[in-house]
Amino acid sequence: QYLPVITHDPGHAYEYVKSMDLESYDAIVIISGDGLIHEVWNGLSARPDAERALALPIGHIPAGSGNGLAKSVLESCGENYGILDAAFCIAKGGHQPIDLMCVRAGDKQQKVSFLSLSAATISDVDIESERLRCIGSARFTVWAIWRVLWPVRLRAELLYWPAEAPGQPSAEPPPLSAELEGQPPWTKVVDDFMVFWACNTEWAAWDSKPAPGACLSDGIWHLLLIRGKSASRTRLLRAFLALDKGEHVHVPGVEIVKCRAFRLIPISKSGHLALDGEKLPFGPVQVWPSRYRGHVLGGEPSNLSLP
């Protein structure tokens, strides 16, 4: 048995799952892009019983422009990418955990992220290409060509907890005003970023693999950076052309920084930030491990009953 729910406007899915009866369902299957999944996980995390709600597995049948979650799950299961492949993977009944992150930005309520946070050229491609949504996923390619010719740079301060450092960030995310600099093992970088792309999954879209080797639940985010003197149009173009196979990591000037938490503080006066493909208020933003994990349909067959 299933209950179809057709969303009519932004926030509909958020409000629906925030008050849904968990006892009536074993899973949620979403036919959409990554934006609706972001909305659903944020609605589940806003419930008083968030830990139990987030144990409800999410299945993703790709129907958007990017579909990074569906691609990442299918790859982890050794399946090809496609609508029928995703449906088959979901029907097998297995599920696996996925890391969720707590995101603070501006004065707005804390958000949950499962996919990525981008700034500079990447967020510009994500947000500004919305005007070309009528051409589907090709909108990213068209706008990326434009931004290779006219790149976006963001002057910013980056603080991150290296993945290889001992210990873990505190269980409770600190406020954005809390001082992190000077407290080991926090590492500080101040530079002009042409590319800033923080990823939780190996694939950020069905044809973009910015974080080769990333796992869904290893507690690590991969920061793809092109910055400073290494930031040229030629290197940006070479990185873009190699993203589909993850070969951009071999382009000189491309950095992959693995971390467990980070804070990005823009020094530039304007720009875009995109969280799981959705626009964030421009300003300081912090990404921190959540106390809870999400679960996705796709993996070894197992019991789907809630704890």
Side-chain angles (χ1 to χ4, degrees):
Q1 293 182 340
Y2 66 93
L3 174 68
V5 177
I6 300 174
T7 57
H8 298 290
D9 49 53
H12 184 177
Y14 175 93
E15 294 298 334
Y16 184 87
V17 301
K18 189 177 176 182
S19 59
M20 67 184 284
D21 177 18
L22 295 180
E23 299 293 340
S24 301
Y25 307 100
D26 294 314
I28 300 174
V29 176
I30 302 171
I31 305 173
S32 72
D34 294 308
L36 193 60
I37 297 167
H38 173 85
E39 195 173 310
V40 167
W41 259 324
N42 274 273
L44 293 174
S45 69
R47 296 172 59 107
D49 57 349
E51 183 173 10
R52 185 164 181 269
L54 290 168
L56 197 68
I58 300 292
H60 183 199
I61 295 179
S65 301
N67 307 311
L69 180 64
K71 175 67 173 180
S72 296
V73 172
L74 287 167
E75 281 282 320
S76 73
C77 296
E79 300 285 352
N80 294 324
Y81 171 78
I83 292 174
L84 291 179
D85 302 279
F88 174 72
C89 193
I90 289 168
K92 289 197 293 186
H95 61 86
Q96 58 181 310
I98 182 173
D99 293 327
L100 299 178
M101 302 295 275
C102 295
V103 180
R104 294 185 187 273
D107 297 327
K108 291 197 171 185
Q109 179 183 357
Q110 183 170 276
K111 289 181 175 290
V112 166
S113 172
F114 69 94
L115 188 68
S116 66
L117 174 82
S118 61
T121 299
I122 301 300
S123 57
D124 186 273
V125 169
D126 207 345
I127 300 301
E128 292 295 339
S129 68
E130 283 285 338
R131 66 189 73 184
L132 303 177
R133 183 171 282 275
C134 61
I135 64 174
S137 60
R139 68 186 175 98
F140 297 124
T141 302
V142 172
W143 207 264
I145 293 171
W146 169 248
R147 279 308 174 202
V148 167
L149 297 174
W150 302 99
V152 174
R153 289 177 171 82
L154 175 73
R155 182 75 177 172
E157 175 184 303
L158 170 65
L159 289 156
Y160 66 92
W161 184 295
E164 66 275 12
Q168 297 282 342
S170 60
E172 192 64 28
L176 275 169
S177 58
E179 187 68 38
L180 299 179
E181 184 180 351
Q183 302 179 37
W186 289 101
T187 301
K188 179 181 175 180
V189 174
V190 179
D191 215 330
D192 295 306
F193 295 92
M194 182 181 286
V195 169
F196 181 94
W197 203 351
C199 297
N200 182 45
T201 57
E202 186 171 37
W203 296 81
W206 69 271
D207 58 351
S208 292
K209 189 180 182 181
C215 299
L216 293 177
S217 58
D218 60 1
I220 296 173
W221 271 51
H222 294 63
L223 310 184
L224 168 57
L225 310 175
I226 301 179
R227 61 188 178 96
K229 294 180 179 179
S230 298
S232 68
R233 290 183 178 88
T234 301
R235 282 177 174 161
L236 180 61
L237 176 60
R238 289 180 62 190
F240 276 166
L241 292 175
L243 269 173
D244 61 334
K245 292 183 174 61
E247 295 297 323
H248 59 286
V249 297
H250 304 302
V251 175
V254 171
E255 298 175 67
I256 301 289
V257 175
K258 298 180 181 180
C259 68
R260 300 193 181 276
F262 68 90
R263 182 184 291 172
L264 183 69
I265 304 172
I267 298 171
S268 300
K269 299 301 182 184
S270 62
H272 290 301
L273 295 174
L275 181 69
D276 298 348
E278 304 299 303
K279 188 172 184 178
L280 270 186
F282 184 74
V285 58
Q286 175 178 278
V287 176
W288 206 270
S290 171
R291 290 179 293 169
Y292 311 127
R293 278 179 167 178
H295 292 79
V296 291
L297 287 169
E300 292 299 319
S302 56
N303 187 355
L304 290 178
S305 61
L306 289 173

